[in-house]
Amino acid sequence: MRDKADYARKGIARGRSCVALQYAGGILLVAPNPSSALHKISEIYDRIGFAAVGRYNEYENLRKAGVTYADITGYQFDRHDVTARGIANWYAQTLGTIFTESPKPFEVEIVVAEVGAQPSDDQIYRITFDGSVTDEPGFVAFGGQADQVSAALKERYSDDMSLAEAFAAALAALSAPGNGERTEFAAAQLEVAILDRARDHRTFRRIRAARLEELLAEARPAPAAADAETPADAETPADGTPSGETPSADPSGTASSGSGPSGTAPGPSGTSPGSSTPPSSTGPSSPGSPSDTEPPTGPAPGGSDRGTGLGGGSPL
C-alpha cells in the first residue's frame, strides 16, 4: 500500500498545480494548461464544476462517470438533489476502491466545487488518489507542488475579492518559486473558468481570449510607467545644466558671473565686448546653449514581461 501511495504521489507531482478559490461573484478555477482541447476544468452539473490534475485518461474517465452519476440522480429524484458533496463522496468511494483493489492506483487529484446563492453556501471538496475527501473553505491548491502554491495563495487570499483580484492572487500563487520552471504565463498557457453566482441555471463559464487578456493585464504590474518618470525627472536639473555636467568656469578656476570684469556692463551674450569670460552658468542661457536647443534624452524602452512557452509532457 505504501509503494502504491508513493507511486501515485510521484506521478501527480510531475504535473502543474491548479487552484480553486471563492470570490464575491462565485468560484474561480485556474489551471496551467497549454492544450486548447484537453481540458483540466469542466462542468459536471448546473452549479457544479470539476477540476483535476494527473493522468488525463484517468481523470477524464472519472469526469464522464461523474456526469453520468449526476444526470441519473437528477432524473430519478430532483435537480436540487445533485450536490457537490454527493458527487465528492461518490468519487471518494470510487477512488478508494481502485486504490485498494487495483494493482495500479489512479494518479489523479480532483476538486469538485459548487456555487451557492450566497458565499456562505459555496462548497469546495478535494479528493485524493486514495479516496480521501476534505472540505476546503475559501481556496484550495492541488497537484504538483501544492504546498508552496497553497502557502503563496494563503498570503494573498481575502474574503469578498473581485474577479480581477482573485485572478491576480491565483496567478501569483501559480507563479510562486518551486511550481515548475515557468514564473509568468500568457493567455495561451492558462485554462480559466468560473462558476458565476449571478446565473440562474448553468453557472459554468469559460474565460477566453480578450477577457482573459484583460485579466492578465490587470494582474501584472506596469514597470514601464515607473521607469518612464524617473529618467525624465533626473535628466535636466532646475538650473538648466544637463545631467552629469558641472557649471562652466573661467580659466582661473572661478565660476563666471553675469557681469564682465571690473564691473563692466554685460554685452549681448552676457559679457563685455572683447572679454574672454564664458557665458554665465547662473544667468539665462544663450540661444545657442546645448541645454536649450537639445531636448533631454527619454528613458530606454522597457522590456517585455512575457515569459517563454510552457513545456508539454504527461501528466497534465
Side-chain angles (χ1 to χ4, degrees):
M1 299 295 287
R2 183 170 56 250
D3 292 342
K4 289 199 291 185
D6 292 340
Y7 174 84
R9 289 193 189 98
K10 290 179 181 179
I12 295 170
R14 287 198 297 265
R16 299 297 301 271
S17 299
C18 303
V19 297
L21 67 160
Q22 292 177 263
Y23 70 100
I27 298 176
L28 172 67
L29 305 168
V30 183
N33 186 7
S35 175
S36 59
L38 307 179
H39 296 303
K40 293 183 178 182
I41 302 171
S42 301
E43 180 184 18
I44 291 288
Y45 210 60
D46 295 345
R47 307 180 71 84
I48 302 173
F50 170 94
V53 294
R55 286 193 174 274
Y56 174 79
N57 63 318
E58 293 177 348
Y59 67 68
E60 178 64 12
N61 288 334
L62 291 173
R63 182 194 68 83
K64 292 189 291 186
V67 171
T68 303
Y69 169 81
D71 285 341
I72 293 175
T73 303
Y75 177 78
Q76 289 180 338
F77 302 98
D78 188 82
R79 301 189 73 90
H80 295 287
D81 293 329
V82 182
T83 62
R85 183 176 61 181
I87 295 176
N89 289 333
W90 184 84
Y91 275 138
Q93 295 173 10
T94 302
L95 286 173
T97 302
I98 293 172
F99 180 76
T100 55
E101 298 181 0
S102 174
K104 177 194 172 300
F106 273 19
E107 302 170 57
V108 297
E109 281 194 19
I110 294 172
V111 160
V112 178
E114 180 180 1
V115 63
Q118 302 294 330
S120 58
D121 298 331
D122 293 346
Q123 302 176 30
I124 301 176
Y125 298 97
R126 177 184 181 183
I127 306 99
T128 57
F129 59 89
D130 59 351
S132 300
V133 56
T134 55
D135 181 14
E136 303 286 351
F139 65 90
V140 61
F142 59 103
Q145 305 300 320
D147 294 338
Q148 291 88 335
V149 176
S150 181
L153 187 59
K154 185 177 180 180
E155 296 177 358
R156 295 169 174 83
Y157 177 79
S158 62
D159 295 332
D160 298 328
M161 293 190 298
S162 65
L163 177 59
E165 293 172 343
F167 180 78
L171 192 65
L174 292 173
S175 303
N179 187 33
E181 298 179 356
R182 188 181 180 86
T183 58
E184 292 184 358
F185 297 98
Q189 276 77 43
L190 287 174
E191 183 179 359
V192 183
I194 62 172
L195 297 173
D196 192 350
R197 197 187 317 280
R199 289 194 170 192
D200 294 332
H201 185 48
R202 300 181 64 177
T203 62
F204 184 86
R205 180 164 61 91
R206 296 188 183 276
I207 298 180
R208 307 175 186 267
R211 180 53 178 156
L212 185 55
E213 292 286 357
E214 292 178 3
L215 291 175
L216 282 170
E218 295 176 6
R220 290 172 177 167
D227 295 342
E229 297 177 359
T230 304
D233 295 340
E235 188 69 29
T236 305
D239 60 355
T241 305
S243 176
E245 298 184 8
T246 57
S248 59
D250 58 17
S252 63
T254 59
S256 60
S257 62
S259 61
S262 304
T264 58
S269 62
T271 58
S272 61
S275 173
S276 60
T277 306
S280 170
S281 63
T282 59
S285 301
S286 62
S289 174
S291 62
D292 293 336
T293 59
E294 298 181 3
T297 304
S304 173
D305 60 353
R306 295 173 68 89
T308 58
L310 177 63
S314 177
L316 291 175

Short mmCIF file of all heavy atoms in Angstrom, two decimals, residues 50-108:
data_model
loop_
_atom_site.label_atom_id
_atom_site.label_comp_id
_atom_site.label_asym_id
_atom_site.label_seq_id
_atom_site.Cartn_x
_atom_site.Cartn_y
_atom_site.Cartn_z
N PHE A 50 -15.76 20.92 -12.09
CA PHE A 50 -14.81 19.82 -11.88
C PHE A 50 -13.45 20.28 -12.35
O PHE A 50 -13.30 20.89 -13.41
CB PHE A 50 -15.28 18.60 -12.69
CG PHE A 50 -14.31 17.46 -12.77
CD1 PHE A 50 -14.38 16.41 -11.88
CD2 PHE A 50 -13.34 17.42 -13.76
CE1 PHE A 50 -13.50 15.34 -11.97
CE2 PHE A 50 -12.46 16.36 -13.87
CZ PHE A 50 -12.54 15.32 -12.96
N ALA A 51 -12.40 20.00 -11.55
CA ALA A 51 -11.02 20.28 -11.94
C ALA A 51 -10.15 19.14 -11.47
O ALA A 51 -10.41 18.55 -10.40
CB ALA A 51 -10.54 21.60 -11.34
N ALA A 52 -9.13 18.78 -12.26
CA ALA A 52 -8.31 17.63 -11.92
C ALA A 52 -6.89 17.83 -12.44
O ALA A 52 -6.64 18.62 -13.37
CB ALA A 52 -8.90 16.35 -12.51
N VAL A 53 -5.96 17.11 -11.81
CA VAL A 53 -4.57 17.06 -12.26
C VAL A 53 -4.13 15.60 -12.25
O VAL A 53 -4.72 14.77 -11.55
CB VAL A 53 -3.65 17.89 -11.34
CG1 VAL A 53 -3.97 19.37 -11.44
CG2 VAL A 53 -3.75 17.42 -9.89
N GLY A 54 -3.10 15.30 -13.03
CA GLY A 54 -2.59 13.94 -13.09
C GLY A 54 -2.66 13.40 -14.51
O GLY A 54 -2.47 14.13 -15.49
N ARG A 55 -2.94 12.11 -14.63
CA ARG A 55 -3.04 11.48 -15.94
C ARG A 55 -4.38 11.83 -16.58
O ARG A 55 -5.44 11.58 -15.99
CB ARG A 55 -2.89 9.97 -15.81
CG ARG A 55 -1.46 9.52 -15.54
CD ARG A 55 -1.31 8.03 -15.74
NE ARG A 55 0.08 7.62 -15.63
CZ ARG A 55 0.95 7.65 -16.63
NH1 ARG A 55 0.57 8.08 -17.83
NH2 ARG A 55 2.20 7.27 -16.45
N TYR A 56 -4.30 12.33 -17.81
CA TYR A 56 -5.51 12.82 -18.46
C TYR A 56 -6.53 11.71 -18.69
O TYR A 56 -7.72 11.89 -18.44
CB TYR A 56 -5.15 13.49 -19.79
CG TYR A 56 -6.37 13.89 -20.59
CD1 TYR A 56 -7.07 15.05 -20.27
CD2 TYR A 56 -6.84 13.11 -21.65
CE1 TYR A 56 -8.20 15.42 -20.99
CE2 TYR A 56 -7.95 13.47 -22.36
CZ TYR A 56 -8.63 14.64 -22.02
OH TYR A 56 -9.76 14.99 -22.72
N ASN A 57 -6.08 10.54 -19.18
CA ASN A 57 -7.04 9.48 -19.50
C ASN A 57 -7.77 9.00 -18.25
O ASN A 57 -8.95 8.61 -18.31
CB ASN A 57 -6.34 8.31 -20.19
CG ASN A 57 -5.31 7.66 -19.29
OD1 ASN A 57 -4.56 8.34 -18.59
ND2 ASN A 57 -5.24 6.34 -19.30
N GLU A 58 -7.11 9.05 -17.10
CA GLU A 58 -7.74 8.56 -15.87
C GLU A 58 -8.77 9.56 -15.34
O GLU A 58 -9.89 9.18 -15.01
CB GLU A 58 -6.66 8.26 -14.82
CG GLU A 58 -5.77 7.10 -15.22
CD GLU A 58 -4.66 6.83 -14.24
OE1 GLU A 58 -4.42 7.68 -13.36
OE2 GLU A 58 -4.02 5.77 -14.34
N TYR A 59 -8.38 10.84 -15.24
CA TYR A 59 -9.38 11.78 -14.70
C TYR A 59 -10.46 12.13 -15.72
O TYR A 59 -11.55 12.57 -15.34
CB TYR A 59 -8.75 13.03 -14.10
CG TYR A 59 -8.04 13.98 -15.03
CD1 TYR A 59 -8.72 14.75 -15.98
CD2 TYR A 59 -6.67 14.20 -14.92
CE1 TYR A 59 -8.07 15.64 -16.79
CE2 TYR A 59 -6.01 15.11 -15.72
CZ TYR A 59 -6.71 15.82 -16.65
OH TYR A 59 -6.05 16.73 -17.46
N GLU A 60 -10.22 11.91 -17.01
CA GLU A 60 -11.29 12.11 -17.99
C GLU A 60 -12.35 11.02 -17.85
O GLU A 60 -13.56 11.29 -17.97
CB GLU A 60 -10.71 12.12 -19.40
CG GLU A 60 -11.74 12.27 -20.52
CD GLU A 60 -12.46 13.61 -20.49
OE1 GLU A 60 -12.03 14.52 -19.76
OE2 GLU A 60 -13.47 13.73 -21.22
N ASN A 61 -11.92 9.80 -17.57
CA ASN A 61 -12.89 8.73 -17.30
C ASN A 61 -13.71 9.03 -16.05
O ASN A 61 -14.93 8.79 -16.01
CB ASN A 61 -12.17 7.39 -17.14
CG ASN A 61 -11.63 6.85 -18.45
OD1 ASN A 61 -12.16 7.17 -19.52
ND2 ASN A 61 -10.58 6.05 -18.39
N LEU A 62 -13.05 9.57 -15.03
CA LEU A 62 -13.77 9.93 -13.80
C LEU A 62 -14.74 11.08 -14.06
O LEU A 62 -15.85 11.10 -13.52
CB LEU A 62 -12.77 10.31 -12.71
CG LEU A 62 -11.92 9.18 -12.14
CD1 LEU A 62 -10.86 9.74 -11.20
CD2 LEU A 62 -12.79 8.18 -11.40
N ARG A 63 -14.36 12.03 -14.88
CA ARG A 63 -15.25 13.16 -15.18
C ARG A 63 -16.53 12.67 -15.87
O ARG A 63 -17.65 13.06 -15.48
CB ARG A 63 -14.54 14.18 -16.06
CG ARG A 63 -15.38 15.42 -16.37
CD ARG A 63 -14.78 16.21 -17.51
NE ARG A 63 -14.87 15.50 -18.77
CZ ARG A 63 -15.94 15.47 -19.55
NH1 ARG A 63 -17.04 16.11 -19.20
NH2 ARG A 63 -15.92 14.80 -20.70
N LYS A 64 -16.37 11.83 -16.88
CA LYS A 64 -17.55 11.33 -17.60
C LYS A 64 -18.43 10.48 -16.69
O LYS A 64 -19.67 10.55 -16.77
CB LYS A 64 -17.10 10.54 -18.83
CG LYS A 64 -16.47 11.40 -19.90
CD LYS A 64 -16.23 10.64 -21.19
CE LYS A 64 -15.17 9.59 -21.05
NZ LYS A 64 -14.85 8.95 -22.36
N ALA A 65 -17.82 9.70 -15.82
CA ALA A 65 -18.60 8.90 -14.88
C ALA A 65 -19.35 9.79 -13.90
O ALA A 65 -20.49 9.51 -13.52
CB ALA A 65 -17.70 7.92 -14.13
N GLY A 66 -18.71 10.91 -13.48
CA GLY A 66 -19.38 11.85 -12.59
C GLY A 66 -20.56 12.54 -13.25
O GLY A 66 -21.59 12.78 -12.62
N VAL A 67 -20.41 12.88 -14.53
CA VAL A 67 -21.52 13.50 -15.27
C VAL A 67 -22.69 12.52 -15.37
O VAL A 67 -23.87 12.89 -15.19
CB VAL A 67 -21.05 13.94 -16.66
CG1 VAL A 67 -22.22 14.39 -17.51
CG2 VAL A 67 -20.03 15.07 -16.54
N THR A 68 -22.39 11.26 -15.66
CA THR A 68 -23.45 10.25 -15.73
C THR A 68 -24.15 10.08 -14.39
O THR A 68 -25.39 10.01 -14.32
CB THR A 68 -22.86 8.91 -16.20
OG1 THR A 68 -22.22 9.09 -17.46
CG2 THR A 68 -23.94 7.85 -16.31
N TYR A 69 -23.38 10.02 -13.31
CA TYR A 69 -23.96 9.88 -11.98
C TYR A 69 -24.87 11.07 -11.66
O TYR A 69 -25.98 10.90 -11.13
CB TYR A 69 -22.85 9.76 -10.94
CG TYR A 69 -23.33 9.89 -9.52
CD1 TYR A 69 -23.89 8.81 -8.85
CD2 TYR A 69 -23.21 11.10 -8.84
CE1 TYR A 69 -24.33 8.93 -7.54
CE2 TYR A 69 -23.65 11.23 -7.53
CZ TYR A 69 -24.21 10.15 -6.89
OH TYR A 69 -24.65 10.26 -5.59
N ALA A 70 -24.42 12.28 -11.97
CA ALA A 70 -25.23 13.47 -11.68
C ALA A 70 -26.51 13.49 -12.51
O ALA A 70 -27.59 13.83 -12.00
CB ALA A 70 -24.40 14.73 -11.96
N ASP A 71 -26.43 13.11 -13.79
CA ASP A 71 -27.63 13.10 -14.64
C ASP A 71 -28.66 12.09 -14.15
O ASP A 71 -29.87 12.37 -14.11
CB ASP A 71 -27.23 12.81 -16.08
CG ASP A 71 -26.58 14.01 -16.76
OD1 ASP A 71 -26.77 15.13 -16.25
OD2 ASP A 71 -25.89 13.82 -17.77
N ILE A 72 -28.19 10.90 -13.78
CA ILE A 72 -29.12 9.87 -13.32
C ILE A 72 -29.77 10.28 -12.00
O ILE A 72 -30.99 10.11 -11.81
CB ILE A 72 -28.39 8.52 -13.19
CG1 ILE A 72 -27.97 8.02 -14.57
CG2 ILE A 72 -29.26 7.49 -12.48
CD1 ILE A 72 -27.14 6.75 -14.53
N THR A 73 -28.98 10.84 -11.10
CA THR A 73 -29.53 11.29 -9.82
C THR A 73 -30.56 12.39 -10.01
O THR A 73 -31.63 12.38 -9.40
CB THR A 73 -28.40 11.77 -8.89
OG1 THR A 73 -27.44 10.73 -8.71
CG2 THR A 73 -28.95 12.19 -7.53
N GLY A 74 -30.26 13.37 -10.86
CA GLY A 74 -31.21 14.44 -11.12
C GLY A 74 -32.47 13.97 -11.81
O GLY A 74 -33.56 14.52 -11.58
N TYR A 75 -32.35 12.93 -12.66
CA TYR A 75 -33.53 12.41 -13.35
C TYR A 75 -34.41 11.58 -12.41
O TYR A 75 -35.64 11.68 -12.44
CB TYR A 75 -33.08 11.57 -14.55
CG TYR A 75 -34.21 10.93 -15.30
CD1 TYR A 75 -34.99 11.67 -16.18
CD2 TYR A 75 -34.51 9.58 -15.12
CE1 TYR A 75 -36.03 11.09 -16.87
CE2 TYR A 75 -35.56 8.98 -15.81
CZ TYR A 75 -36.31 9.74 -16.68
OH TYR A 75 -37.35 9.16 -17.36
N GLN A 76 -33.79 10.77 -11.57
CA GLN A 76 -34.56 9.90 -10.69
C GLN A 76 -35.22 10.67 -9.54
O GLN A 76 -36.31 10.31 -9.12
CB GLN A 76 -33.65 8.81 -10.12
CG GLN A 76 -33.23 7.76 -11.13
CD GLN A 76 -32.33 6.70 -10.52
OE1 GLN A 76 -31.70 6.93 -9.48
NE2 GLN A 76 -32.27 5.54 -11.15
N PHE A 77 -34.53 11.70 -9.05
CA PHE A 77 -35.06 12.44 -7.90
C PHE A 77 -35.41 13.87 -8.31
O PHE A 77 -36.45 14.12 -8.87
CB PHE A 77 -34.04 12.40 -6.76
CG PHE A 77 -33.67 11.02 -6.32
CD1 PHE A 77 -32.51 10.41 -6.77
CD2 PHE A 77 -34.50 10.30 -5.46
CE1 PHE A 77 -32.18 9.12 -6.37
CE2 PHE A 77 -34.18 9.02 -5.05
CZ PHE A 77 -33.01 8.42 -5.51
N ASP A 78 -34.51 14.80 -8.04
CA ASP A 78 -34.75 16.20 -8.40
C ASP A 78 -33.40 16.85 -8.68
O ASP A 78 -32.36 16.41 -8.14
CB ASP A 78 -35.45 16.93 -7.25
CG ASP A 78 -35.88 18.34 -7.66
OD1 ASP A 78 -36.95 18.47 -8.30
OD2 ASP A 78 -35.13 19.28 -7.35
N ARG A 79 -33.39 17.86 -9.51
CA ARG A 79 -32.13 18.51 -9.86
C ARG A 79 -31.46 19.11 -8.64
O ARG A 79 -30.23 19.21 -8.58
CB ARG A 79 -32.36 19.58 -10.93
CG ARG A 79 -32.97 19.07 -12.21
CD ARG A 79 -32.98 20.12 -13.30
NE ARG A 79 -31.64 20.35 -13.84
CZ ARG A 79 -31.13 19.70 -14.86
NH1 ARG A 79 -31.83 18.74 -15.46
NH2 ARG A 79 -29.92 19.97 -15.29
N HIS A 80 -32.24 19.55 -7.67
CA HIS A 80 -31.66 20.12 -6.45
C HIS A 80 -31.01 19.06 -5.56
O HIS A 80 -30.26 19.40 -4.65
CB HIS A 80 -32.73 20.87 -5.66
CG HIS A 80 -33.27 22.07 -6.38
ND1 HIS A 80 -32.55 23.24 -6.54
CD2 HIS A 80 -34.46 22.27 -7.01
CE1 HIS A 80 -33.27 24.12 -7.20
NE2 HIS A 80 -34.44 23.56 -7.50
N ASP A 81 -31.30 17.79 -5.82
CA ASP A 81 -30.68 16.72 -5.05
C ASP A 81 -29.25 16.42 -5.51
O ASP A 81 -28.53 15.67 -4.83
CB ASP A 81 -31.51 15.44 -5.14
CG ASP A 81 -32.85 15.59 -4.45
OD1 ASP A 81 -32.92 16.36 -3.47
OD2 ASP A 81 -33.84 14.95 -4.89
N VAL A 82 -28.84 16.95 -6.64
CA VAL A 82 -27.47 16.78 -7.12
C VAL A 82 -26.60 17.86 -6.47
O VAL A 82 -26.75 19.05 -6.77
CB VAL A 82 -27.40 16.88 -8.65
CG1 VAL A 82 -25.98 16.64 -9.13
CG2 VAL A 82 -28.36 15.89 -9.29
N THR A 83 -25.70 17.45 -5.60
CA THR A 83 -24.86 18.39 -4.86
C THR A 83 -23.39 18.01 -5.02
O THR A 83 -23.06 16.85 -5.36
CB THR A 83 -25.22 18.39 -3.36
OG1 THR A 83 -24.97 17.09 -2.82
CG2 THR A 83 -26.68 18.77 -3.15
N ALA A 84 -22.53 18.98 -4.76
CA ALA A 84 -21.10 18.71 -4.81
C ALA A 84 -20.68 17.72 -3.75
O ALA A 84 -19.78 16.90 -3.97
CB ALA A 84 -20.33 20.03 -4.65
N ARG A 85 -21.32 17.76 -2.60
CA ARG A 85 -20.98 16.81 -1.54
C ARG A 85 -21.29 15.38 -1.96
O ARG A 85 -20.49 14.46 -1.73
CB ARG A 85 -21.73 17.17 -0.26
CG ARG A 85 -21.39 16.26 0.92
CD ARG A 85 -22.08 16.72 2.17
NE ARG A 85 -23.54 16.69 2.02
CZ ARG A 85 -24.39 17.06 2.97
NH1 ARG A 85 -23.93 17.52 4.13
NH2 ARG A 85 -25.69 16.99 2.77
N GLY A 86 -22.46 15.17 -2.59
CA GLY A 86 -22.81 13.83 -3.05
C GLY A 86 -21.85 13.32 -4.12
O GLY A 86 -21.43 12.15 -4.09
N ILE A 87 -21.48 14.18 -5.07
CA ILE A 87 -20.54 13.77 -6.13
C ILE A 87 -19.16 13.52 -5.54
O ILE A 87 -18.46 12.57 -5.93
CB ILE A 87 -20.50 14.85 -7.23
CG1 ILE A 87 -21.87 14.93 -7.92
CG2 ILE A 87 -19.42 14.53 -8.25
CD1 ILE A 87 -21.96 16.03 -8.96
N ALA A 88 -18.72 14.35 -4.59
CA ALA A 88 -17.42 14.15 -3.96
C ALA A 88 -17.38 12.82 -3.20
O ALA A 88 -16.38 12.09 -3.26
CB ALA A 88 -17.11 15.32 -3.01
N ASN A 89 -18.45 12.48 -2.51
CA ASN A 89 -18.50 11.20 -1.81
C ASN A 89 -18.47 10.03 -2.80
O ASN A 89 -17.83 8.99 -2.54
CB ASN A 89 -19.75 11.12 -0.94
CG ASN A 89 -19.66 12.03 0.27
OD1 ASN A 89 -18.57 12.34 0.75
ND2 ASN A 89 -20.82 12.47 0.77
N TRP A 90 -19.16 10.18 -3.91
CA TRP A 90 -19.13 9.12 -4.93
C TRP A 90 -17.73 8.95 -5.51
O TRP A 90 -17.25 7.82 -5.69
CB TRP A 90 -20.13 9.44 -6.02
CG TRP A 90 -20.24 8.37 -7.06
CD1 TRP A 90 -21.01 7.24 -7.00
CD2 TRP A 90 -19.55 8.32 -8.31
NE1 TRP A 90 -20.84 6.48 -8.14
CE2 TRP A 90 -19.95 7.12 -8.95
CE3 TRP A 90 -18.64 9.15 -8.94
CZ2 TRP A 90 -19.46 6.76 -10.20
CZ3 TRP A 90 -18.15 8.78 -10.17
CH2 TRP A 90 -18.55 7.61 -10.80
N TYR A 91 -17.03 10.08 -5.79
CA TYR A 91 -15.65 10.00 -6.28
C TYR A 91 -14.74 9.37 -5.22
O TYR A 91 -13.83 8.60 -5.56
CB TYR A 91 -15.14 11.40 -6.62
CG TYR A 91 -15.50 11.86 -8.01
CD1 TYR A 91 -15.93 13.16 -8.24
CD2 TYR A 91 -15.39 11.01 -9.11
CE1 TYR A 91 -16.26 13.60 -9.51
CE2 TYR A 91 -15.72 11.43 -10.38
CZ TYR A 91 -16.15 12.73 -10.59
OH TYR A 91 -16.48 13.15 -11.85
N ALA A 92 -14.94 9.70 -3.94
CA ALA A 92 -14.11 9.15 -2.89
C ALA A 92 -14.27 7.63 -2.80
O ALA A 92 -13.28 6.89 -2.65
CB ALA A 92 -14.46 9.80 -1.55
N GLN A 93 -15.49 7.14 -2.93
CA GLN A 93 -15.71 5.70 -2.90
C GLN A 93 -15.07 5.02 -4.11
O GLN A 93 -14.45 3.95 -3.98
CB GLN A 93 -17.21 5.41 -2.87
CG GLN A 93 -17.90 5.89 -1.60
CD GLN A 93 -19.41 5.74 -1.67
OE1 GLN A 93 -19.93 5.12 -2.59
NE2 GLN A 93 -20.12 6.32 -0.72
N THR A 94 -15.21 5.64 -5.27
CA THR A 94 -14.65 5.04 -6.49
C THR A 94 -13.13 4.98 -6.42
O THR A 94 -12.51 3.94 -6.70
CB THR A 94 -15.10 5.85 -7.72
OG1 THR A 94 -16.52 5.88 -7.78
CG2 THR A 94 -14.55 5.23 -9.00
N LEU A 95 -12.47 6.09 -6.05
CA LEU A 95 -11.02 6.11 -5.98
C LEU A 95 -10.49 5.22 -4.85
O LEU A 95 -9.43 4.60 -4.98
CB LEU A 95 -10.54 7.55 -5.79
CG LEU A 95 -10.62 8.44 -7.03
CD1 LEU A 95 -10.28 9.88 -6.68
CD2 LEU A 95 -9.70 7.94 -8.12
N GLY A 96 -11.21 5.16 -3.73
CA GLY A 96 -10.80 4.28 -2.65
C GLY A 96 -10.83 2.81 -3.06
O GLY A 96 -9.92 2.04 -2.72
N THR A 97 -11.86 2.43 -3.80
CA THR A 97 -11.94 1.05 -4.27
C THR A 97 -10.82 0.74 -5.26
O THR A 97 -10.19 -0.33 -5.21
CB THR A 97 -13.31 0.81 -4.93
OG1 THR A 97 -14.35 1.08 -3.98
CG2 THR A 97 -13.43 -0.61 -5.43
N ILE A 98 -10.54 1.67 -6.17
CA ILE A 98 -9.46 1.47 -7.14
C ILE A 98 -8.12 1.37 -6.44
O ILE A 98 -7.28 0.53 -6.77
CB ILE A 98 -9.46 2.60 -8.18
CG1 ILE A 98 -10.72 2.54 -9.04
CG2 ILE A 98 -8.22 2.54 -9.06
CD1 ILE A 98 -10.89 3.72 -9.96
N PHE A 99 -7.90 2.19 -5.41
CA PHE A 99 -6.61 2.20 -4.72
C PHE A 99 -6.38 0.89 -3.96
O PHE A 99 -5.24 0.38 -3.93
CB PHE A 99 -6.56 3.38 -3.75
CG PHE A 99 -5.27 3.49 -2.99
CD1 PHE A 99 -4.13 3.96 -3.61
CD2 PHE A 99 -5.20 3.11 -1.66
CE1 PHE A 99 -2.93 4.05 -2.92
CE2 PHE A 99 -4.01 3.19 -0.95
CZ PHE A 99 -2.87 3.66 -1.59
N THR A 100 -7.40 0.33 -3.35
CA THR A 100 -7.21 -0.87 -2.54
C THR A 100 -7.25 -2.16 -3.36
O THR A 100 -6.56 -3.13 -3.03
CB THR A 100 -8.29 -0.94 -1.45
OG1 THR A 100 -9.59 -0.87 -2.06
CG2 THR A 100 -8.14 0.21 -0.48
N GLU A 101 -8.02 -2.19 -4.43
CA GLU A 101 -8.22 -3.44 -5.16
C GLU A 101 -7.42 -3.52 -6.46
O GLU A 101 -7.11 -4.63 -6.91
CB GLU A 101 -9.72 -3.63 -5.48
CG GLU A 101 -10.59 -3.75 -4.24
CD GLU A 101 -12.05 -3.94 -4.58
OE1 GLU A 101 -12.36 -3.98 -5.80
OE2 GLU A 101 -12.87 -4.08 -3.66
N SER A 102 -7.09 -2.39 -7.06
CA SER A 102 -6.38 -2.43 -8.34
C SER A 102 -4.87 -2.49 -8.09
O SER A 102 -4.36 -1.87 -7.14
CB SER A 102 -6.72 -1.19 -9.16
OG SER A 102 -5.94 -1.14 -10.33
N PRO A 103 -4.12 -3.21 -8.94
CA PRO A 103 -2.66 -3.22 -8.78
C PRO A 103 -2.04 -1.84 -8.97
O PRO A 103 -1.03 -1.52 -8.33
CB PRO A 103 -2.19 -4.19 -9.88
CG PRO A 103 -3.38 -5.01 -10.20
CD PRO A 103 -4.57 -4.13 -9.99
N LYS A 104 -2.62 -1.03 -9.84
CA LYS A 104 -2.11 0.32 -10.09
C LYS A 104 -3.15 1.35 -9.65
O LYS A 104 -4.28 1.35 -10.15
CB LYS A 104 -1.80 0.51 -11.57
CG LYS A 104 -1.33 1.93 -11.91
CD LYS A 104 -1.35 2.17 -13.38
CE LYS A 104 -1.07 3.63 -13.72
NZ LYS A 104 -2.06 4.54 -13.12
N PRO A 105 -2.79 2.29 -8.76
CA PRO A 105 -3.74 3.34 -8.37
C PRO A 105 -3.85 4.40 -9.45
O PRO A 105 -2.99 4.54 -10.32
CB PRO A 105 -3.13 3.91 -7.09
CG PRO A 105 -1.66 3.71 -7.28
CD PRO A 105 -1.50 2.42 -8.04
N PHE A 106 -4.92 5.18 -9.39
CA PHE A 106 -5.09 6.31 -10.29
C PHE A 106 -4.17 7.45 -9.83
O PHE A 106 -4.13 7.78 -8.65
CB PHE A 106 -6.54 6.79 -10.29
CG PHE A 106 -7.42 6.05 -11.27
CD1 PHE A 106 -7.04 4.82 -11.78
CD2 PHE A 106 -8.62 6.59 -11.69
CE1 PHE A 106 -7.84 4.13 -12.68
CE2 PHE A 106 -9.42 5.92 -12.59
CZ PHE A 106 -9.04 4.69 -13.08
N GLU A 107 -3.45 8.03 -10.79
CA GLU A 107 -2.56 9.15 -10.49
C GLU A 107 -3.32 10.46 -10.73
O GLU A 107 -3.02 11.22 -11.66
CB GLU A 107 -1.31 9.08 -11.36
CG GLU A 107 -0.52 7.79 -11.20
CD GLU A 107 0.56 7.64 -12.24
OE1 GLU A 107 1.42 8.54 -12.33
OE2 GLU A 107 0.54 6.63 -12.98
N VAL A 108 -4.28 10.74 -9.89
CA VAL A 108 -5.14 11.91 -10.07
C VAL A 108 -5.45 12.54 -8.73
O VAL A 108 -5.42 11.87 -7.68
CB VAL A 108 -6.47 11.54 -10.79
CG1 VAL A 108 -6.21 11.01 -12.18
CG2 VAL A 108 -7.25 10.55 -9.97
#
